[in-house]
Amino acid sequence: MKFFADTSDIDAIKDLADCGMLDGVTTNPSIIAKSGREFIPLIEEICGICAGPVSAEVASTDFETMMKEGEKLAKIADNIAVKVPLTEAGLKVCKNLSEGGTMVNVTLCFSPLQALLAAKAGATFISPFVGRLDDIAQNGMDLIGDILTIYDQYPDFHTEVLVASVRHPAHILESARMGADVVTCPPSVIKQLYKHPLTDKGLAGFVEDWKKTGQSIL
Ligand code: E4P
């Protein structure tokens, strides 16, 4: 399963890359606004760090302007995935960009039928938002199961399921159990995966016992 970092924080992206935990990066207009940085130079910088797909989202909602924005974003680097919303116009942009060889990430997916449309439009990635469904008392992970079941029926679909709006490690665990292709997570959630109280306790015990030997490996 691939780990994408759902952030534009350069230090966090570099840190995950150094740990071998970075397969791609996703951004959205809210993440860009939070960064306080100019969009295009920021995406260029991220593409210089991350060799995997880097999602950069269009800002408009009409077909013509989204196409122009998508074409401009796609020129930033070979590893750009243009992110478009799951609307009729967005999927039309998806079809056109995909046919031209550009990776497309279709975002804001909240139903299995929307995911079916995205696959038919040639999406490279479909981004179902599990956390935002949980927020309204629907089970976000049920949506992932439904999409995987549907995609499995059709070997000519090549769209990868990119679990988005991840809030906690349980979303990652369930995604891995189900065989989702990608999870995109805030770096803090990826860091939580290293943690286990028995690891900390066990390591403290080993460190103490090693001191008693009076030895040094180096
Ligand atoms: C990533 O592609 C999505 O934009 C992101 O995961 C949304 O997360 P949020 O629901 O926490 O804003």
Side-chain angles (χ1 to χ4, degrees):
M1 186 170 67
K2 286 174 271 192
F3 282 2
F4 288 4
D6 200 19
T7 186
S8 64
D9 181 323
I10 296 293
D11 289 340
I13 291 168
K14 281 183 182 161
D15 176 51
L16 289 171
D18 289 345
C19 294
M21 296 297 160
L22 185 76
D23 300 305
V25 173
T26 53
T27 64
N28 62 35
S30 306
I31 286 172
I32 299 301
K34 191 174 156 200
S35 77
R37 292 212 23 207
E38 281 293 311
F39 183 31
I40 305 274
L42 178 55
I43 295 294
E44 280 170 346
E45 190 173 348
I46 294 170
C47 288
I49 301 163
C50 177
V54 173
S55 288
E57 188 160 342
V58 297
S60 300
T61 55
D62 65 286
F63 172 72
E64 282 78 15
T65 320
M66 275 195 281
M67 267 309 289
K68 285 184 195 148
E69 289 175 347
E71 284 165 349
K72 180 170 177 179
L73 294 172
K75 286 192 187 119
I76 294 175
D78 289 342
N79 56 330
I80 286 287
V82 174
K83 214 169 168 195
V84 299
L86 208 157
T87 59
E88 190 170 343
L91 291 189
K92 199 169 158 190
V93 174
C94 174
K95 175 184 182 295
N96 279 270
L97 290 177
S98 298
E99 285 175 353
T102 296
M103 287 189 286
V104 180
N105 177 356
V106 176
T107 190
L108 291 167
C109 172
F110 293 97
S111 87
L113 291 173
Q114 287 182 315
L116 178 60
L117 296 180
K120 288 180 70 63
T124 314
F125 302 105
I126 181 68
S127 290
F129 278 32
V130 295
R132 292 193 194 188
L133 281 170
D134 292 350
D135 289 346
I136 58 162
Q138 292 187 20
N139 188 335
M141 293 312 297
D142 285 350
L143 173 59
I144 304 303
D146 282 345
I147 296 171
L148 288 168
T149 300
I150 290 169
Y151 283 7
D152 278 351
Q153 313 301 315
Y154 302 100
D156 53 328
F157 284 169
H158 300 295
T159 304
E160 294 190 29
V161 177
L162 191 170
V163 181
S165 190
V166 164
R167 301 278 160 78
H168 46 68
H171 281 146
I172 303 175
L173 178 61
E174 273 306 292
S175 298
R177 281 186 174 138
M178 289 178 178
D181 303 281
V182 191
V183 283
T184 188
C185 321
S188 57
V189 176
I190 297 177
K191 291 291 179 183
Q192 281 179 266
L193 305 186
Y194 288 98
K195 298 286 179 195
H196 196 288
L198 290 180
T199 303
D200 296 341
K201 187 179 172 199
L203 183 58
F206 289 157
V207 167
E208 276 311 303
D209 288 342
W210 179 250
K211 274 187 203 155
K212 290 177 200 158
T213 73
Q215 298 179 50
S216 163
I217 295 173
L218 299 176

